[in-house]
Amino acid sequence: MPNKIIDTQTWDYQQSEKLYGVDRWSKGYFSIGPKGDLLATPDHHQPNLKINIQEIVEEMNESGIQFPAVIRFHDILRSQVEYLNTTFRQVIDEAEYDGQYFGVFPIKVNQMREVVEEIVSAGEKYNYGLEAGSKPELMAALAYNTNPNSLTVLNGYKDEEYFRLALLGQQIGRHIIIVIEKFNELKTLVRIAKDMGVTPKVGLRSKLMVKGKGKWKNSSGERAKFGLSYVEMLSAVDYLTEQGFGQSIELLHFHIGSQLTDIRSVKDAIQEASMVYMNLVKYGVQLKYIDVGGGLAVDYDGSQSTNNSSCNYSTDEYIHDIVYGIKQTCDLNDISHPHIVSESGRAITAYHSCVVAKVIGEIKPNSTNYDTSVADGEHILISNLRDISQELSGDNYQEMYNDLVSIKEQMVSAFNLGVLTLKDMAKMESLYWQTLEQINQHLIGEEFVPEQLMEIPSLLSSQYLVNFSVFQSTIDSWAIKQVLPIVPINRLAEKPSKIASLVDITCDSDGKIDHFIDPNGGTARTLPLHELKADEDYHVGIFLTGAYQDVMGDMHNLFGRLNEVHIYSYDDDPKDYYIEEVVHGSTMGNVLSTMQYSSEILANTVKRAIDKKVSKGKIKPRDGVQLTDFYENCLSKYTYLSDDAK
Ligand SMILES: *Cc1c(COP(=O)(O)O)cnc(C)c1O
């Protein structure tokens, strides 16, 4: 953490821009307007079309679509698909590379039908295909990737049924490549292929020796869960050749992990994989494709570093390194250039969706004060504590802070021994927080603040209670401490006078976010936010949630899926967009049914209990009917807190 506390006396929207680092993480898709609103620029063909997110929030409020909600910008999905494909094409042209690019979108990164449909549609003209890693994903891919010129790449562990589905796909004209993850799969494949009379197209996944960097580095290396060792690779070739399927081997696959933070691991993997490719070709295998897997990272914290939530390279650099790396090995060894396949998922979908949630309260550490005036016969520890606040001066903050903490600890021990009363402790708490606040006031704007005193602002910080669930909407922030950009939707021309961490509405103390982008680099424990106003809603946007977190959320506390709006930009509209679709989130009845409860039985049981009280005269019949209706209606209502929550 840098040793400086932000001075927020003067403010305009450009300072908010710096503070929240919007232009560093948003790839130009989001920005802050002069009036302090957060704007989206979802279509890279229309850089001047800016959608005001606050207007979307207002329209949703008017249409009764409750928050928290996911806002999906379909134009961002399209823009990302186009960017990846056109950049590969440009670099291939420029490098005079002879093969073509055939990208595939890995469905596991976001399986939502609308997302997959949009990606397939945007990728149509580039012959962009799909990747599946399980039977259900394959079922979806078979129905949705209908372009015979694009690939369907099949990864993941496979059983007989998986192979049958794959070969069915081939029979209906899909360009299916079955990637073998482990040696024994080959035997099943050969048996099923002979049984069905279909010649499969096969890919071999290599367990490269090189290791990726970042959170998922164990996806590669000799202890990797997937892929064939060099021994297995050669045996696979021999086995398939013996079985008459030697010509089937078309693709060499590797995937060294997701969110590769360091470009060097990409370069190393390309080098090793292209050597494997060259060797296999020289061994007589007629490979056509080299598949570089996924891993293209998203710079969530905007630091362009090798932090786990960042990366030290751009998409262009990544693509350059792939194309030129493969070309070099092929040219040096005089073999032809293979087609290139890549399976970027995170980089395609992360930007397109955000979660907007309302702040419904503030939890302060020092919300009420107790009378701290001098009392007759008060304990010496209390007097000592009071003295600290009176003796504070420019050069003794650190000493006074140490004394404050030490006296507080002594008082807790004294209380436990029965020496101090609850009233004494209430005085202690008030004096403690007041003194901390005093020290903090002095620190603001200081050029240098001692390391130890840097914790004071966060000790004094509030927790903002946000109507959402970390476990549903930002699971990676909880599970792997991923940093996500979080920005208020409006009031960005106003100075944020508070610093706060966020807590959600689950009954779980882990349901919080306390690592944020630090504008000076690294991560911060708190986020600068605005003071809440009694008569005005305050919404925060959690950005870059479109990959994995969008679909991996769980049912903790039975909150379930969020309401969603799908936004398309539209120049002829006064607001430059329209809501193309509303997908309703989970109702209480929905989430209960996933846990095997039946709404009907629940409602009947409660009704019977009410009827019984009515018949005994404990509840009036009219009230009984109302209570029964109320319970039943709740089953079709949203699981999150309604707007009256304070
Ligand atoms: C998960 C996965 C991907 C997607 O990785 P990203 O880092 O999201 O691009 C691609 N290929 C395979 C085999 C995977 O398991």
Side-chain angles (χ1 to χ4, degrees):
M1 219 198 282
N3 289 11
K4 181 148 169 47
I5 291 169
I6 312 155
D7 179 5
T8 55
Q9 289 311 306
T10 54
W11 203 262
D12 69 11
Y13 77 101
Q14 282 152 327
Q15 278 162 291
S16 286
E17 170 68 60
K18 266 198 212 114
L19 184 64
Y20 297 107
V22 179
D23 67 340
R24 300 179 63 95
W25 54 257
S26 76
K27 272 203 179 210
Y29 289 123
F30 300 98
S31 59
I32 297 175
K35 293 202 185 109
D37 292 327
L38 202 55
L39 309 174
T41 313
D43 181 353
H44 67 168
H45 296 301
Q46 299 189 75
N48 295 321
L49 186 151
K50 297 197 188 298
I51 299 173
N52 186 328
I53 299 181
Q54 178 65 16
E55 285 181 357
I56 302 178
V57 169
E58 281 160 18
E59 182 174 346
M60 288 168 68
N61 273 330
E62 280 157 25
S63 331
I65 304 163
Q66 285 173 271
F67 292 89
V70 172
I71 301 181
R72 274 185 212 289
F73 293 96
H74 279 246
D75 301 290
I76 294 184
L77 272 181
R78 301 190 76 88
S79 296
Q80 284 297 93
V81 169
E82 284 180 17
Y83 189 75
L84 184 78
N85 280 283
T86 51
T87 309
F88 258 110
R89 285 170 179 225
Q90 278 162 15
V91 176
I92 280 175
D93 268 358
E94 167 204 303
E96 298 183 346
Y97 187 89
D98 297 328
Q100 294 170 39
Y101 175 65
F102 291 96
V104 289
F105 171 69
I107 296 187
K108 78 156 190 267
V109 179
N110 195 321
Q111 300 100 339
M112 284 275 302
R113 174 178 56 81
E114 292 89 339
V115 170
V116 172
E117 268 173 359
E118 198 69 62
I119 289 173
V120 168
S121 148
E124 170 97 48
K125 61 171 179 272
Y126 308 106
N127 296 325
Y128 189 62
L130 293 176
E131 184 266 2
S134 67
K135 284 187 280 186
E137 289 180 0
L138 169 55
M139 302 280 284
L142 286 178
Y144 278 84
N145 185 16
T146 53
N147 177 357
N149 299 318
S150 70
L151 300 182
T152 300
V153 175
L154 304 183
N155 294 313
Y157 291 125
K158 303 169 192 70
D159 61 5
E160 189 172 321
E161 212 163 58
Y162 192 136
F163 288 117
R164 283 191 188 276
L165 282 168
L167 296 176
L168 174 160
Q170 197 174 321
Q171 283 174 305
I172 59 173
R174 310 286 195 253
H175 194 157
I176 307 266
I177 298 186
I178 304 171
V179 177
I180 298 298
E181 304 271 8
K182 74 184 204 328
F183 190 81
N184 276 343
E185 285 176 358
L186 277 177
K187 301 199 170 141
T188 318
L189 172 61
V190 164
R191 178 162 56 78
I192 307 290
K194 286 182 176 164
D195 183 46
M196 291 174 74
V198 182
T199 306
K201 296 182 162 130
V202 174
L204 299 178
R205 176 163 179 173
S206 165
K207 209 182 248 193
L208 296 182
M209 293 285 176
V210 63
K211 280 218 171 189
K213 287 225 173 66
K215 208 79 207 174
W216 286 273
K217 55 178 180 282
N218 292 333
S219 306
S220 65
E222 58 200 13
R223 295 281 301 154
K225 177 171 141 186
F226 291 112
L228 306 176
S229 65
Y230 293 140
V231 179
E232 289 171 324
M233 183 83 70
L234 289 177
S235 316
V237 172
D238 294 345
Y239 175 73
L240 284 174
T241 310
E242 266 163 45
Q243 296 295 322
F245 289 126
Q247 306 280 324
S248 285
I249 311 171
E250 296 195 353
L251 176 143
L252 173 70
H253 181 279
F254 71 92
H255 169 71
I256 61 164
S258 195
Q259 185 69 9
L260 297 171
T261 58
D262 191 343
I263 191 68
R264 274 178 299 178
S265 50
V266 175
K267 290 178 196 278
D268 291 350
I270 292 293
Q271 174 61 21
E272 185 178 341
S274 52
M275 292 310 283
V276 176
Y277 177 84
M278 182 272 289
N279 274 280
L280 286 174
V281 169
K282 300 230 153 145
Y283 194 66
V285 187
Q286 289 169 18
L287 287 168
K288 296 189 181 127
Y289 303 89
I290 188 160
D291 181 343
V292 300
L296 174 55
V298 167
D299 191 358
Y300 292 95
D301 68 15
S303 67
Q304 295 177 20
S305 69
T306 54
N307 291 349
N308 281 343
S309 300
S310 184
C311 57
N312 65 359
Y313 58 93
S314 65
T315 303
D316 290 47
E317 187 180 349
Y318 173 81
I319 293 174
H320 263 260
D321 284 351
I322 291 171
V323 174
Y324 282 92
I326 299 173
K327 179 179 153 75
Q328 187 177 13
T329 304
C330 291
D331 289 352
L332 286 174
N333 293 283
D334 219 12
I335 55 175
S336 55
H337 304 159
H339 298 312
I340 297 173
V341 180
S342 84
E343 304 174 345
S344 285
R346 186 186 294 279
I348 296 289
T349 63
Y351 297 89
H352 91 285
S353 79
C354 59
V355 173
V356 175
K358 194 172 122 179
V359 179
I360 55 170
E362 177 180 359
I363 303 166
K364 297 182 199 171
N366 53 339
S367 51
T368 44
N369 274 321
Y370 199 72
D371 177 11
T372 58
S373 49
V374 183
D376 282 348
E378 81 182 356
H379 199 278
I380 179 81
L381 285 169
I382 299 180
S383 317
N384 288 350
L385 206 53
R386 191 179 297 107
D387 290 346
I388 293 182
S389 93
Q390 279 153 13
E391 284 165 20
L392 271 181
S393 76
D395 39 359
N396 68 358
Y397 295 136
Q398 187 155 23
E399 186 188 338
M400 291 292 132
Y401 178 59
N402 289 336
D403 287 354
L404 182 71
V405 173
S406 137
I407 297 178
K408 183 184 164 213
E409 280 166 10
Q410 288 174 41
M411 291 188 72
V412 172
S413 312
F415 178 68
N416 288 340
L417 292 170
V419 177
L420 295 180
T421 64
L422 199 56
K423 281 186 179 173
D424 295 329
M425 295 306 274
K427 262 191 184 178
M428 180 277 282
E429 271 184 351
S430 287
L431 284 167
Y432 170 77
W433 289 115
Q434 283 162 17
T435 315
L436 274 188
E437 188 62 63
Q438 260 178 299
I439 301 178
N440 193 46
Q441 286 307 317
H442 286 289
L443 299 181
I444 292 174
E446 290 277 306
E447 262 315 307
F448 174 78
V449 175
E451 172 111 23
Q452 202 180 14
L453 301 189
M454 287 302 295
E455 64 191 32
I456 293 178
S458 78
L459 281 175
L460 283 168
S461 70
S462 293
Q463 290 173 308
Y464 270 21
L465 177 60
V466 186
N467 186 11
F468 88 119
S469 158
V470 163
F471 305 96
Q472 173 62 235
S473 298
T474 58
I475 192 114
D476 283 348
S477 142
W478 169 70
I480 57 168
K481 293 278 168 246
Q482 190 185 75
V483 176
L484 288 170
I486 300 179
V487 189
I489 298 300
N490 64 349
R491 292 176 63 184
L492 290 161
E494 229 179 274
K495 68 175 183 182
S497 55
K498 289 263 171 181
I499 60 168
S501 58
L502 305 182
V503 291
D504 74 2
I505 58 166
T506 64
C507 306
D508 192 318
S509 49
D510 256 6
K512 61 177 181 190
I513 301 185
D514 60 3
H515 40 281
F516 303 95
I517 297 176
D518 188 322
N520 302 300
T523 52
R525 302 289 304 275
T526 51
L527 182 69
L529 289 171
H530 302 85
E531 186 117 32
L532 300 178
K533 294 182 186 168
D535 55 350
E536 202 181 297
D537 286 352
Y538 189 64
H539 289 98
V540 289
I542 307 169
F543 289 87
L544 310 189
T545 55
Y548 300 100
Q549 342 215 13
D550 215 358
V551 288
M552 272 170 74
D554 67 27
M555 294 289 278
H556 196 10
N557 265 146
L558 294 186
F559 282 114
R561 289 201 60 88
L562 273 62
N563 285 330
E564 281 193 13
V565 291
H566 298 181
I567 306 288
Y568 279 86
S569 50
Y570 186 49
D571 222 358
D572 286 345
D573 184 276
K575 290 180 178 164
D576 284 337
Y577 74 87
Y578 65 100
I579 297 179
E580 180 254 357
E581 192 175 359
V582 178
V583 182
H584 292 283
S586 307
T587 63
M588 297 194 231
N590 292 155
V591 292
L592 285 162
S593 76
T594 64
M595 297 289 152
Q596 302 281 68
Y597 296 94
S598 136
S599 290
E600 216 170 295
I601 295 176
L602 292 174
N604 275 334
T605 313
V606 171
K607 181 177 187 307
R608 258 185 281 127
I610 293 169
D611 287 349
K612 213 159 147 190
K613 292 291 177 191
V614 170
S615 69
K616 288 193 176 150
K618 305 268 188 202
I619 296 178
K620 293 199 192 98
R622 210 177 270 281
D623 294 345
V625 173
Q626 263 186 12
L627 289 172
T628 309
D629 286 352
F630 174 67
Y631 184 91
E632 273 183 30
N633 285 339
C634 281
L635 285 167
S636 57
K637 288 199 176 150
Y638 202 23
T639 52
Y640 293 85
L641 298 183
S642 24
D643 245 6
D644 53 50
K646 279 277 180 296

